[in-house]
Amino acid sequence: MNFRQFAFKNVIRNKRLYAGYFFSCAFSVMIFFVYSMLAFHPDLNFSDKGSYGQGAKTSMDVSQYIIYVFTFFFILYSMSAFLKSRKKEFGIGMMLGMSGLQLRRLVFLENVMIGLASTAAGIAAGLLLSKGILMLGTSLLTLEQPLAFYWPIRAALLTFAAFTLLFLFISLFTAMILRSSSLIDLLKGTAKPKPEPKASAPLAVLAAVLLAVGYAAAFIVKGVLVLFALLPVAVIVSIGTYFLFTQLSVYVIRKLKGNQELYRSRTNLVTLSDLAYRMKDNARMFFLVAMISTVSFCAIGTLVGMKSMFTGQLSEALPVMKYESYSGNGLEAEQTALIEQSLANAGIDYKPYVIHKKSSANTATNKTYKFVSVTEYNFLMNDNAVVGDKDALLFYPDDMGFGGRAREQTGKIASQDGSVFAVTQSGVMPIRLQQLGYADVAVISDAAFQAMPASQEDSASFVYDVTDWRSTLAVSKELNLLLEGGEKQYEFISRAYAVHENNQSFGQILLTGLFIGAVFFVAAGSFLYFRLYADLPQDCVQYRAITKLGLTEGELSRIVSVQIGLLFFVPIVVAVVHGAVALNTLQNTFGVNLFKESALVLGAFTVIQIVYFLFIRAGYVKKLKEAVQ
């Protein structure tokens, strides 16, 4: 048996330990590959003016770099966990005559083998799932035609080259780490005695206070203040989370152990005693998993929520179809006729109406108003408002708490020609009135409107109301091409087209977020897996000894289930709470209800974690039972 065969057999013998590392690496490779497959898809021409453009290409390139860089650190962390769990094995090898160079060569060969295998497996898995991924891409990008399957040779070569280089570098790096390890350290491995876990009561209280302050600030702060509070709140919550795992959790367990009735009940003595050590040993890992998972929850939840919010706002605020004609436009009659003919040819019934607007600036207050007549306002709003010749109704866009211009609640407004109108009613612009554009709108009497002089900023809105606005997408695309390029004299706006463009833009961002979030979440789960199986040899020794004292299989399963459950769910529960607070802040900031979207994202991650826990628990309990028999 030569050295390469020896390295290969080492990998096979440690397949349980390498399984989590292999599948996690393969998953990361698969994510990178399928993302590259979408980025290089011939139907997504990023250089084409009519497609997504260079901005989208840059975004996808940056996302690939993020996935690649994070995977590098994830694999590096994984390898350090493996080296730590195998130190005793390496020490025995050196006692039997293995040189330091041979040890480093062994580690290098093992890492290269597992790296190449996971790279090939990841690409193969990506090819098997490619049809589903292309369907997902079609759905998220709201494409009219589904993305066709193609052989992603370029994506496969890029993935193979990138990850082969990554695994080679990490293999060299991890082999060099062993230089600093002495024989006695290797032989001791992870069997060094652990001191009694202790916690500081002031730091435990500080953890609770920091989290309470961070959550309170997240709930209280709204509007533009959210931008200023974002970084301080994130820092406060992060520090509080760290002390939650390192101090508060251990402090609570100590208090529970102090309750003799609870501590001596059934198997609680074993559970609580071991739990204190596990919480202390895994505190930094818990903190890392919680923060990574929180980033995943918040990123995907924010993207889903923002997409839903903007789609809803566009669906409510934009007119079904509008042709905005500005002063001096000589094509008004011809182009409105073209719109009406296109709607008729498409068999779409519509209700037309025209709203004339006069623009006037008040140099004294440096404000510009769009004036409309009360008759056209009543027609648009289906209202019966009455306005005096010297009165006005004032409406302004909702700034959603982001510090817009000061609004007149009462008082007077003046036009450029010196006319003064008393504001009898003011408030946020109704949704339907937003069809006139994002500007302050003053409703005045018909006589006052006719008397107001014309200006170069005057315009007319030709609005076409359709019952099923989604049916206008095809004709809107056609009209948008025919009427583009005239922004100074006219503008064509379609709700269906704007929503379609919004969904495509957010779809591409959401697609990116899903891939990056998936890598982060799997990495977090893998950290838990690595830590759990790194402790398996010690757990086997411990439970073998306790079993001799009368521990039954049922009690063993119950103790292990509680311990593994806490290991898996404590950081995830913390991350879910962090994510829920962050998404609630987003909801309060924009004044929209995102409960459905938040529950969907957080619920999906929770279900995945439960399935992962059940799978890992079954295998772990089986290994323990085999060891204690």
Side-chain angles (χ1 to χ4, degrees), residues 76-153:
L76 194 61
Y77 175 89
S78 304
M79 286 311 305
S80 66
F82 291 140
L83 291 177
K84 184 178 179 181
S85 64
R86 297 182 62 197
K87 276 185 175 182
K88 188 173 183 180
E89 176 187 337
F90 295 150
I92 294 174
M94 293 186 69
M95 284 187 64
L96 296 176
M98 180 182 290
S99 67
L101 179 62
Q102 287 177 321
L103 176 61
R104 292 191 292 274
R105 183 185 172 195
L106 174 66
V107 172
F108 175 81
L109 287 175
E110 288 180 1
N111 291 345
V112 169
M113 287 178 184
I114 201 73
L116 291 176
S118 61
T119 301
I123 294 176
L127 284 173
L128 290 175
L129 298 175
S130 58
K131 186 61 178 177
I133 297 297
L134 292 174
M135 291 173 63
L136 175 65
T138 301
S139 175
L140 290 178
L141 297 173
T142 61
L143 302 176
E144 289 80 13
Q145 298 296 326
L147 293 172
F149 176 80
Y150 77 109
W151 287 104
I153 305 299

